[in-house]
Amino acid sequence: MTVILPLMLALFVANLDQTIVTTALPSIGRDLHGTTGDVSWIATAYLLTSAVTTLVFGKLGDMYGRKGIFQLSLVVFLCGSLLSATAGSVPYLALSRALQGIGGGSITSLVMAITGDLAAPRQRARQQALLGMAAALALVAGPLLGGAFADGLSWRWIFYVNLPIGAVALAVVALRLRLPRPETPAGRVDVLGTLVVTVFTTSVVLVTTWGGHRYPWGSPVILALIALGAASLALYLFVERGAVEPVTPPRLFRRPVFSLASAEYLITGMVLFAAMLYVPTFLQMVQHKSAFGAGLFVIPMLLGMVAAAALSGPVIARTGRYKLYPVTGAVLAGGAMAVVSRAGPHTTALWLVVPLTVTGVGLGLFIQVALLAGQNTVAYEDVGSATAVLNFCRTLGGAFGTALFGAILTAGLHSPRPGAAESASAFHTVFEWTVPFMAVAFVLALAMREEPLSERQ
């Protein structure tokens, strides 16, 4: 626990900064005299750089040792936080957030990979359960703390709060964390692969952020970004085949369990973000709740995720069996979202809270096992890369889910000012579409072969 606690703190602040600025963006825009388009880059910059570094720094940890790379990532994150807190303009804050995202994405990837150094796969479930709890709690606390700081103190405290927490984590990690260093000399860094995957990630993030909002889906800008994303993905796959130390080793996907775990992580990200973003939007548009009141309904779902991780982790460590959990999770999440899709203008709070909690339990079981199974099936020297790929898939899933379900919602709203009935119908369609995705996840979970969890690192 001496080591796990600072890792939990680091993961908490890195995940916190994914969502904490969203409710404070209006206050930041007013204070820094920024336009709506400019202010949106404060959130987008962090998402963009963190997605890239999640993938790249996981590989660097495999090559050079995770402790040093993790400490560097935490220092970069804290520097970005300090610069963000003292920003005097929107462009300066967006650039500072980009620097913060470089550290934040690296922390997310490396913390999960470090569990591979601390324990064998069978015992790793306990540690990953604790880390999963920290990440879920950060997602809950983000919007609430962002609004509280913006209204009660200053939006700058959104970033100042990271400094003492990060400093404690950095000090304890430096003193107490002992990790093995790679036995073989590090190879050449895959610079070309890094550049190409950066282009691909940038294209995906901009398409999902701008599509349907800043630009219509059929506009030349969006179509050009989609074409650039497809071309860069094809080029990335080609480059990685010939790289000496590829960012994403192709051998990972020769393991069927890892490929299935990656697909499960992608689907989990889609459904999770659909529920997190569009349930509060439904409550505001259809039931006319306040932004703060609507945001509270996300808490039961995320607490369900925490409970699922807390309960399943020790059981997996004791029994060594895990296949049952994603199968059960898909049924729970899919069935619960089907219930959510029936909500209307007069649906009671309890009627929504119960299925949202069950959805969280189902998704929590998926996240817990997909990471564990994916790490367990690869060689030790690839644990960092494998963990990075899984986290990258969840990030892409969140981006795709946000865009896809947003497009479905827009298609269902035909009037410039839709009434409650029309809005409710559009949201019904959005939530109904999560069910077939969970059906696919159910099939993937059934197809996954349960490999014995090793007792050795």
Side-chain angles (χ1 to χ4, degrees):
M1 286 304 299
T2 304
V3 174
I4 290 295
L5 184 58
L7 296 180
M8 291 174 66
L9 291 175
L11 188 63
F12 179 82
V13 292
N15 280 269
L16 189 71
D17 276 68
Q18 293 182 13
T19 58
I20 194 170
V21 301
T22 53
T23 50
L25 285 178
S27 298
I28 295 173
R30 288 193 300 270
D31 191 30
L32 298 182
H33 309 291
T35 63
T36 302
D38 292 337
V39 169
S40 67
W41 277 104
I42 297 170
T44 303
Y46 187 94
L47 176 63
L48 179 59
T49 56
S50 63
V52 174
T53 55
T54 292
L55 201 58
V56 174
F57 275 62
K59 178 63 179 180
L60 293 179
D62 284 339
M63 295 173 64
Y64 298 103
R66 275 180 273 279
K67 179 176 179 178
I69 301 297
F70 176 74
Q71 289 173 300
L72 174 63
S73 301
L74 195 47
V75 169
V76 170
F77 177 80
L78 294 177
C79 289
S81 298
L82 180 60
L83 292 174
S84 297
T86 58
S89 66
V90 170
Y92 185 94
L93 179 54
L95 290 174
S96 301
R97 285 277 291 168
L99 179 64
Q100 192 187 32
I102 292 174
S106 308
I107 290 169
T108 301
S109 180
L110 289 165
V111 163
M112 294 299 184
I114 286 172
T115 61
D117 297 311
L118 298 178
R122 184 160 174 173
Q123 302 305 319
R124 201 177 296 163
R126 288 191 178 96
Q127 299 173 348
Q128 290 178 351
L130 292 172
L131 295 170
M133 291 166 61
L137 289 173
L139 292 175
V140 173
L144 300 178
L145 287 178
F149 283 139
D151 294 340
L153 292 171
S154 165
W155 60 263
R156 298 182 187 276
W157 278 96
I158 289 173
F159 307 109
Y160 279 132
V161 74
N162 295 332
L163 301 180
I165 297 174
V168 170
L170 186 63
V172 177
V173 164
L175 295 173
R176 303 291 297 179
L177 184 61
R178 300 287 184 267
L179 298 179
R181 293 187 62 82
E183 297 179 358
T184 57
R188 186 172 56 190
V189 176
D190 183 13
V191 176
L192 181 58
T194 300
L195 293 175
V196 176
V197 78
T198 300
V199 174
F200 168 69
T201 307
T202 302
S203 303
V204 170
V205 171
L206 293 182
V207 165
T208 55
T209 303
W210 289 351
H213 300 284
R214 180 175 294 189
Y215 301 100
W217 282 108
S219 67
V221 173
I222 298 300
L223 294 177
L225 286 171
I226 292 174
L228 179 61
S232 57
L233 176 59
L235 179 60
Y236 183 61
L237 297 176
F238 174 77
V239 167
E240 294 301 90
R241 286 187 175 186
V244 177
E245 287 287 351
V247 174
T248 308
R251 60 181 174 270
L252 294 178
F253 294 97
R254 299 190 190 109
R255 309 287 301 185
V257 171
F258 181 81
S259 298
L260 290 173
S262 300
E264 289 174 354
Y265 243 45
L266 183 77
I267 293 173
T268 300
M270 293 180 68
V271 176
L272 174 62
F273 274 79
M276 282 185 58
L277 293 177
Y278 294 111
V279 167
T281 307
F282 161 81
L283 291 168
Q284 292 179 71
M285 291 182 64
V286 177
Q287 296 195 351
H288 307 293
K289 294 186 181 295
S290 66
F292 180 79
L296 293 177
F297 279 77
V298 177
I299 295 178
M301 183 180 67
L302 296 177
L303 291 180
M305 293 175 61
V306 170
L311 295 175
S312 63
V315 176
I316 292 172
R318 186 173 65 252
T319 64
R321 308 300 296 271
Y322 58 84
K323 182 171 180 174
L324 174 65
Y325 299 102
V327 173
T328 305
V331 174
L332 291 176
M337 287 305 296
V339 174
V340 172
S341 71
R342 298 297 93 199
H346 305 295
T347 299
T348 63
L350 181 62
W351 201 90
L352 268 176
V353 165
V354 172
L356 287 174
T357 304
V358 176
T359 299
V361 171
L363 295 177
L365 294 176
F366 248 98
I367 294 171
Q368 170 83 355
V369 172
L371 177 62
L372 185 65
Q375 288 182 335
N376 180 61
T377 196
V378 302
Y380 173 75
E381 58 268 19
D382 287 331
V383 166
S385 298
T387 306
V389 170
L390 291 167
N391 282 311
F392 185 71
C393 286
R394 188 167 65 164
T395 300
L396 286 185
F400 284 137
T402 301
L404 173 63
F405 294 115
I408 293 172
L409 177 62
T410 302
L413 299 174
H414 306 291
S415 307
R417 293 184 177 181
E422 183 180 345
S423 297
S425 177
F427 280 105
H428 289 171
T429 306
V430 169
F431 299 139
E432 284 173 350
W433 267 101
T434 64
V435 178
F437 281 107
M438 292 314 302
V440 173
F442 175 76
V443 173
L444 294 177
L446 287 177
M448 179 182 284
R449 182 167 59 90
E450 186 177 54
E451 296 185 355
L453 293 176
S454 174
E455 293 281 7
R456 300 178 60 187
Q457 289 176 263

